[in-house]
Amino acid sequence: MLRKLLPREYGFFEIFEEHSRVMVEASQELLSLVSTGVNIETKVKRIKELEHECDTITHRCVDALHRTFITPIDRNDIHRLIGRMDDVVDFIDAAADRIHLYQITEMTPELKSFADILVRSCEALQTAVKGLRNMKASQTVLDACVNVNRYENDADTTLRSALAKLFREEKDPIKIIKLQEIYAHLENASDRCEDVANTVEGIILEHA
Amino acid sequence: MLRKLLPREYGFFEIFEEHSRVMVEASQELLSLVSTGVNIETKVKRIKELEHECDTITHRCVDALHRTFITPIDRNDIHRLIGRMDDVVDFIDAAADRIHLYQITEMTPELKSFADILVRSCEALQTAVKGLRNMKASQTVLDACVNVNRYENDADTTLRSALAKLFREEKDPIKIIKLQEIYAHLENASDRCEDVANTVEGIILEHA
Amino acid sequence: MLRKLLPREYGFFEIFEEHSRVMVEASQELLSLVSTGVNIETKVKRIKELEHECDTITHRCVDALHRTFITPIDRNDIHRLIGRMDDVVDFIDAAADRIHLYQITEMTPELKSFADILVRSCEALQTAVKGLRNMKASQTVLDACVNVNRYENDADTTLRSALAKLFREEKDPIKIIKLQEIYAHLENASDRCEDVANTVEGIILEHA
């Protein structure tokens, strides 16, 4: 019972920061994967490991949430925040996995654009998530959130031009199916980054 | 601080009504697009503008939510409501965008059916959302919610027959991929309309 | 008004148990469908009926939620729980429906693996949901939740090998599109099973 009165020891902020650190690493691995096209299998395996790490962190967060009586942030916001962060890494993993599974060897410039956007989004989210700890609506943190929204617009534009090019240039429907799926995972990852940014922004405004 | 005690000035009801008005307009543009098949580019651009407008309204709503201490409706319901309304317009925009991007010139009767269902759903949602203001469980408002549920069943049926026909008649896999994606966006739009209706119905029953 | 003070009569636990019972039956019908490949139409129709039954149960739950002042479990958890349980059956229905619609006659071993995983997941969820009633964090209930998480990993592995095999062996893109959609519905069903298990686990830990 006493335990329930000591929320601090569960460290939600540490959990978010740890998750965001792994998220950044996963996005960087993906960028390296699609930029170089070498050691694909090793990098895909590494991303899978990072995805498992995030699952563990997420599970620890939900567990802490249910054992903590008074949380420093609204319970639903904690739930949404960790859930969406986890989705980001799940989609990065799915994209990497399919690149390997479908034996995509020719990395399109659009794959690189997506990975680039995701690295910048994840890094901005790491900055944003750090801002939760002191709850100051600092310009740095709010700027990071705004930037993630802008990156998501870039991802939308990238998806549109990637699909336009794919259907214009590729005549093999099976290759189209494969790349369409991979692009969709990447766009979903970016979508979830935006959800994370909006949740962080909301929490900070609420406490400001 | 005083500001936090004056929720009324943020006008959640006005925000919902404004969003539903733009939602109706987007659905009507889509219907016009797939009914006539002319001026496609202009109409797609107009839908994109409406989608941006909805983003702004949604952002204003979430912002108001976090700045308001006491809300007239449960916070999570407000969040769900505006989020799902925004999804409806996002999916309408995605469908319109792909029609243009994939250069679909022959508008199938199923596209028209979907757009027709969406116009009726969005109009019913506009009626439903208006009912939130006085929280009377009026028959008009509850009927509107029930109707949206019925339209979603129609959308399901439309999807099934659209897919059956597509796979029966179309032999070009690339055309199948394109239309399958567009149909999926339209069905998702209708799904989210049902979520909005259920949320409104729930809020009204709770306050009845 | 008095009604609002008598939550017990609405029986959330009975509602969850009833839904889980229908969910198990739907998964069993699906397994029978893909195992035998006979009487497809009858079985698909039966699954559709079960899906409608679940819609009714879900609607009753949401209705009860909004009419009940004090709930035995956090309102958002009730909402999430019934919503995700309903999603499971929706995806099972979608998969069955497409098998019929696309006239899939040759049932792949992967279809059978998926259905098998879903039966085990739904049965474990039935055990887990029963545990909500006494809120004892019994080993049986927690084990059931852990098992569903394990089955979802199996579903992931099944999806990967199903896709690998599909793209390796099948040369007809239209058949690929059809099976890819069915596999996606099945994987989504399993994903939602995991959400249900995590929600149940969370509720039980919170009350322990």
Side-chain angles (χ1 to χ4, degrees):
Chain A
M1 188 58 212
L2 184 69
R3 210 183 40 188
K4 291 208 175 190
L5 299 169
L6 295 165
R8 291 281 150 188
E9 78 178 275
Y10 291 105
F12 288 106
F13 301 121
E14 285 80 4
I15 289 176
F16 294 144
E17 287 170 14
E18 197 183 339
H19 199 299
S20 73
R21 203 158 45 229
V22 183
M23 194 167 69
V24 167
E25 194 181 337
S27 68
Q28 288 168 340
E29 280 293 333
L30 180 74
L31 180 59
S32 156
L33 173 81
V34 300
S35 300
T36 65
V38 297
N39 295 326
I40 292 187
E41 199 170 339
T42 318
K43 286 167 191 167
V44 169
K45 219 178 257 174
R46 179 69 189 133
I47 291 173
K48 174 66 74 193
E49 278 170 23
L50 296 169
E51 191 265 323
H52 283 312
E53 230 173 279
C54 288
D55 279 350
T56 309
I57 299 169
T58 301
H59 201 267
R60 215 180 330 133
C61 181
V62 173
D63 202 62
L65 188 60
H66 287 293
R67 290 179 194 280
T68 309
F69 195 62
I70 295 166
T71 52
I73 303 174
D74 175 81
R75 309 184 77 82
N76 281 297
D77 284 339
I78 293 178
H79 211 283
R80 188 179 299 127
L81 195 52
I82 199 73
R84 300 299 159 90
M85 284 173 81
D86 207 42
D87 288 345
V88 172
V89 182
D90 280 353
F91 282 118
I92 287 177
D93 170 57
D97 182 81
R98 296 306 182 266
I99 288 173
H100 179 50
L101 192 69
Y102 298 157
Q103 305 178 341
I104 309 291
T105 46
E106 193 214 334
M107 301 296 165
T108 66
E110 289 77 22
L111 283 176
K112 212 184 147 298
S113 294
F114 269 124
D116 214 71
I117 289 167
L118 285 172
V119 168
R120 276 179 291 143
S121 297
C122 290
E123 287 174 352
L125 288 180
Q126 194 176 20
T127 302
V129 159
K130 263 190 203 136
L132 286 174
R133 196 186 279 274
N134 60 22
M135 285 297 167
K136 291 266 165 53
S138 77
Q139 209 49 46
T140 321
V141 170
L142 293 179
D143 282 355
C145 293
V146 170
N147 283 339
V148 176
N149 274 278
R150 211 159 48 207
Y151 301 149
E152 157 54 18
N153 283 338
D154 295 346
D156 261 356
T157 310
T158 302
L159 180 65
R160 293 198 74 247
S161 59
L163 290 176
K165 194 178 140 201
L166 184 62
F167 282 97
R168 194 174 57 237
E169 297 182 0
E170 181 61 63
K171 295 304 158 215
D172 176 0
I174 293 179
K175 280 198 186 154
I176 291 179
I177 297 170
K178 290 173 173 178
L179 275 169
Q180 193 193 29
E181 187 193 339
I182 294 166
Y183 291 154
H185 290 314
L186 294 169
E187 223 277 319
N188 283 332
S190 162
D191 254 2
R192 300 304 162 99
C193 285
E194 191 181 15
D195 287 341
V196 177
N198 291 343
T199 305
V200 172
E201 192 188 358
I203 295 168
I204 284 176
L205 289 177
E206 199 166 331
H207 286 80
Chain B
M1 190 54 213
L2 184 67
R3 211 183 37 188
K4 291 207 176 192
L5 300 169
L6 295 166
R8 292 280 151 188
E9 78 177 277
Y10 290 105
F12 288 106
F13 301 122
E14 285 81 6
I15 289 177
F16 294 143
E17 287 170 13
E18 196 183 339
H19 199 299
S20 72
R21 204 159 42 230
V22 183
M23 195 167 68
V24 167
E25 195 182 338
S27 68
Q28 287 167 340
E29 281 291 332
L30 180 74
L31 180 58
S32 156
L33 173 81
V34 299
S35 299
T36 65
V38 297
N39 294 329
I40 292 186
E41 198 169 343
T42 318
K43 285 167 191 168
V44 168
K45 218 179 255 173
R46 178 67 189 136
I47 291 173
K48 174 66 73 195
E49 277 169 24
L50 296 170
E51 191 264 324
H52 283 313
E53 230 174 277
C54 288
D55 278 351
T56 309
I57 299 169
T58 300
H59 202 268
R60 215 178 333 130
C61 181
V62 173
D63 202 65
L65 188 60
H66 287 293
R67 289 179 194 280
T68 309
F69 196 61
I70 296 166
T71 52
I73 303 174
D74 175 83
R75 309 183 77 81
N76 281 296
D77 284 339
I78 293 178
H79 211 283
R80 188 179 301 128
L81 195 52
I82 199 74
R84 300 297 158 89
M85 285 173 80
D86 207 43
D87 288 344
V88 172
V89 182
D90 280 353
F91 282 118
I92 287 177
D93 170 58
D97 182 82
R98 296 306 181 267
I99 287 172
H100 179 51
L101 193 69
Y102 297 158
Q103 305 178 342
I104 309 290
T105 47
E106 194 213 336
M107 301 296 165
T108 66
E110 289 76 23
L111 283 176
K112 210 184 147 298
S113 294
F114 269 124
D116 215 69
I117 289 167
L118 285 171
V119 168
R120 277 180 291 146
S121 297
C122 290
E123 286 174 351
L125 288 180
Q126 194 178 20
T127 302
V129 159
K130 264 191 202 136
L132 286 174
R133 196 188 278 275
N134 61 22
M135 285 297 167
K136 292 264 164 56
S138 77
Q139 210 46 46
T140 321
V141 169
L142 294 179
D143 283 355
C145 294
V146 170
N147 283 339
V148 175
N149 275 278
R150 212 160 45 206
Y151 301 148
E152 157 54 19
N153 283 339
D154 295 346
D156 262 356
T157 310
T158 301
L159 180 65
R160 292 198 73 248
S161 59
L163 290 176
K165 195 178 140 201
L166 183 63
F167 282 97
R168 194 175 56 236
E169 297 182 1
E170 180 62 64
K171 295 304 158 213
D172 177 0
I174 293 179
K175 279 198 186 152
I176 292 179
I177 297 171
K178 290 173 172 178
L179 275 168
Q180 194 194 28
E181 187 193 339
I182 294 166
Y183 290 153
H185 291 314
L186 294 169
E187 224 277 318
N188 283 333
S190 161
D191 254 2
R192 300 305 161 99
C193 286
E194 191 182 15
D195 287 341
V196 177
N198 291 343
T199 305
V200 172
E201 192 187 358
I203 295 169
I204 283 178
L205 289 177
E206 200 166 332
H207 286 80
Chain C
M1 188 57 213
L2 185 68
R3 212 183 38 190
K4 291 207 175 190
L5 299 170
L6 295 166
R8 291 281 151 188
E9 78 178 278
Y10 291 106
F12 288 107
F13 301 122
E14 284 81 5
I15 290 177
F16 294 145
E17 287 170 13
E18 196 184 339
H19 199 299
S20 73
R21 204 158 43 229
V22 183
M23 194 166 70
V24 167
E25 194 182 338
S27 68
Q28 288 167 340
E29 280 291 334
L30 180 75
L31 180 58
S32 157
L33 173 81
V34 300
S35 299
T36 65
V38 297
N39 295 328
I40 292 186
E41 200 171 340
T42 317
K43 285 166 191 169
V44 168
K45 219 179 256 175
R46 178 70 190 132
I47 292 173
K48 174 67 73 194
E49 277 170 24
L50 296 169
E51 191 264 323
H52 283 313
E53 230 174 277
C54 288
D55 279 351
T56 309
I57 299 170
T58 301
H59 201 267
R60 215 179 333 133
C61 180
V62 173
D63 202 62
L65 188 60
H66 287 294
R67 290 180 194 280
T68 309
F69 196 62
I70 295 166
T71 52
I73 303 174
D74 175 82
R75 309 183 76 81
N76 281 296
D77 284 339
I78 293 179
H79 211 285
R80 188 179 299 127
L81 196 51
I82 199 73
R84 300 298 160 89
M85 284 172 81
D86 207 43
D87 288 346
V88 172
V89 182
D90 280 353
F91 282 118
I92 288 177
D93 170 57
D97 182 81
R98 297 304 181 268
I99 287 173
H100 179 51
L101 193 69
Y102 298 158
Q103 304 177 343
I104 309 291
T105 46
E106 195 213 335
M107 302 296 165
T108 66
E110 289 77 23
L111 283 175
K112 211 184 148 300
S113 294
F114 269 124
D116 215 69
I117 289 166
L118 285 172
V119 168
R120 276 180 291 145
S121 297
C122 290
E123 286 174 351
L125 288 181
Q126 194 177 21
T127 302
V129 159
K130 264 191 203 135
L132 287 174
R133 196 186 279 274
N134 60 21
M135 284 298 168
K136 292 265 164 53
S138 78
Q139 209 48 45
T140 322
V141 170
L142 293 178
D143 283 355
C145 294
V146 170
N147 284 339
V148 176
N149 275 277
R150 212 158 47 205
Y151 301 147
E152 156 55 18
N153 283 339
D154 295 346
D156 261 357
T157 310
T158 302
L159 180 65
R160 292 198 74 250
S161 59
L163 290 176
K165 195 179 139 200
L166 184 62
F167 283 97
R168 193 174 58 238
E169 296 182 2
E170 181 61 63
K171 296 304 159 213
D172 176 0
I174 293 180
K175 280 199 186 151
I176 292 179
I177 296 171
K178 290 173 173 178
L179 275 168
Q180 194 193 29
E181 187 193 339
I182 294 166
Y183 290 153
H185 290 314
L186 293 169
E187 223 277 318
N188 284 332
S190 161
D191 254 3
R192 301 305 161 98
C193 286
E194 191 181 16
D195 287 341
V196 176
N198 291 343
T199 305
V200 172
E201 192 187 359
I203 295 169
I204 283 176
L205 290 176
E206 200 166 329
H207 286 81

